[in-house]
Short mmCIF file of all heavy atoms in Angstrom, two decimals:
data_model
loop_
_atom_site.label_atom_id
_atom_site.label_comp_id
_atom_site.label_asym_id
_atom_site.label_seq_id
_atom_site.Cartn_x
_atom_site.Cartn_y
_atom_site.Cartn_z
N VAL A 447 178.23 -52.38 30.24
CA VAL A 447 179.05 -51.94 31.38
C VAL A 447 179.64 -53.14 32.10
O VAL A 447 179.99 -53.07 33.28
CB VAL A 447 178.21 -51.09 32.36
CG1 VAL A 447 177.81 -49.77 31.73
CG2 VAL A 447 176.97 -51.85 32.83
N ALA A 448 179.76 -54.27 31.41
CA ALA A 448 180.19 -55.52 32.05
C ALA A 448 181.58 -55.42 32.65
O ALA A 448 181.82 -55.89 33.76
CB ALA A 448 180.14 -56.65 31.03
N CYS A 449 182.52 -54.79 31.94
CA CYS A 449 183.91 -54.74 32.44
C CYS A 449 184.00 -53.98 33.75
O CYS A 449 184.81 -54.32 34.62
CB CYS A 449 184.82 -54.13 31.38
SG CYS A 449 184.32 -52.49 30.82
N SER A 450 183.17 -52.95 33.90
CA SER A 450 183.25 -52.16 35.12
C SER A 450 182.73 -52.94 36.33
O SER A 450 183.11 -52.65 37.46
CB SER A 450 182.46 -50.86 34.96
OG SER A 450 181.07 -51.11 34.93
N PHE A 451 181.85 -53.91 36.10
CA PHE A 451 181.30 -54.67 37.21
C PHE A 451 182.17 -55.87 37.59
O PHE A 451 182.06 -56.39 38.69
CB PHE A 451 179.88 -55.15 36.87
CG PHE A 451 178.84 -54.12 37.20
CD1 PHE A 451 178.43 -53.22 36.24
CD2 PHE A 451 178.30 -54.04 38.46
CE1 PHE A 451 177.49 -52.25 36.53
CE2 PHE A 451 177.35 -53.08 38.77
CZ PHE A 451 176.94 -52.18 37.80
N VAL A 452 183.01 -56.34 36.67
CA VAL A 452 183.82 -57.52 36.96
C VAL A 452 185.20 -57.14 37.50
O VAL A 452 185.91 -58.01 38.02
CB VAL A 452 183.95 -58.38 35.69
CG1 VAL A 452 185.05 -57.86 34.79
CG2 VAL A 452 184.16 -59.83 36.03
N CYS A 453 185.57 -55.88 37.43
CA CYS A 453 186.89 -55.45 37.92
C CYS A 453 186.99 -55.71 39.43
O CYS A 453 186.17 -55.20 40.20
CB CYS A 453 187.12 -53.97 37.62
SG CYS A 453 188.71 -53.36 38.23
N PRO A 454 187.98 -56.48 39.89
CA PRO A 454 188.03 -56.84 41.31
C PRO A 454 188.54 -55.74 42.22
O PRO A 454 188.39 -55.84 43.44
CB PRO A 454 189.00 -58.03 41.31
CG PRO A 454 189.88 -57.81 40.15
CD PRO A 454 189.04 -57.13 39.11
N THR A 455 189.15 -54.69 41.68
CA THR A 455 189.74 -53.66 42.53
C THR A 455 189.15 -52.28 42.31
O THR A 455 189.65 -51.31 42.88
CB THR A 455 191.26 -53.57 42.27
OG1 THR A 455 191.47 -53.21 40.91
CG2 THR A 455 191.94 -54.90 42.55
N ALA A 456 188.10 -52.19 41.49
CA ALA A 456 187.45 -50.90 41.19
C ALA A 456 188.38 -49.94 40.47
O ALA A 456 188.17 -48.73 40.53
CB ALA A 456 186.89 -50.24 42.45
N ALA A 457 189.41 -50.46 39.80
CA ALA A 457 190.16 -49.60 38.88
C ALA A 457 189.21 -49.12 37.78
O ALA A 457 189.35 -48.02 37.25
CB ALA A 457 191.33 -50.35 38.27
N LEU A 458 188.27 -49.99 37.44
CA LEU A 458 187.11 -49.60 36.63
C LEU A 458 185.95 -49.54 37.60
O LEU A 458 185.47 -50.57 38.07
CB LEU A 458 186.83 -50.63 35.52
CG LEU A 458 188.00 -51.02 34.61
CD1 LEU A 458 187.56 -52.07 33.61
CD2 LEU A 458 188.55 -49.80 33.89
N ARG A 459 185.52 -48.35 37.94
CA ARG A 459 184.45 -48.26 38.93
C ARG A 459 183.14 -48.74 38.33
O ARG A 459 182.88 -48.54 37.14
CB ARG A 459 184.31 -46.81 39.43
CG ARG A 459 183.93 -45.83 38.35
CD ARG A 459 183.85 -44.41 38.87
NE ARG A 459 183.51 -43.49 37.80
CZ ARG A 459 182.27 -43.24 37.39
NH1 ARG A 459 181.25 -43.86 37.98
NH2 ARG A 459 182.04 -42.40 36.39
N PRO A 460 182.30 -49.38 39.13
CA PRO A 460 181.01 -49.85 38.59
C PRO A 460 180.15 -48.69 38.13
O PRO A 460 179.93 -47.74 38.87
CB PRO A 460 180.38 -50.58 39.79
CG PRO A 460 181.52 -50.88 40.71
CD PRO A 460 182.51 -49.78 40.52
N ILE A 461 179.68 -48.77 36.92
CA ILE A 461 178.82 -47.73 36.37
C ILE A 461 177.54 -48.38 35.86
O ILE A 461 177.52 -49.56 35.53
CB ILE A 461 179.50 -46.95 35.23
CG1 ILE A 461 179.93 -47.91 34.11
CG2 ILE A 461 180.70 -46.17 35.73
CD1 ILE A 461 180.50 -47.20 32.88
N SER A 462 176.48 -47.61 35.82
CA SER A 462 175.20 -48.10 35.32
C SER A 462 175.08 -47.78 33.83
O SER A 462 175.80 -46.94 33.30
CB SER A 462 174.05 -47.46 36.09
OG SER A 462 174.03 -46.06 35.85
N VAL A 463 174.13 -48.46 33.19
CA VAL A 463 173.88 -48.17 31.77
C VAL A 463 173.40 -46.74 31.61
O VAL A 463 173.76 -46.05 30.65
CB VAL A 463 172.86 -49.17 31.20
CG1 VAL A 463 172.50 -48.81 29.76
CG2 VAL A 463 173.40 -50.60 31.26
#
Side-chain angles (χ1 to χ4, degrees):
V447 292
C449 56
S450 71
F451 274 92
V452 82
C453 179
T455 61
L458 308 178
R459 62 182 179 84
I461 57 175
S462 65
V463 175

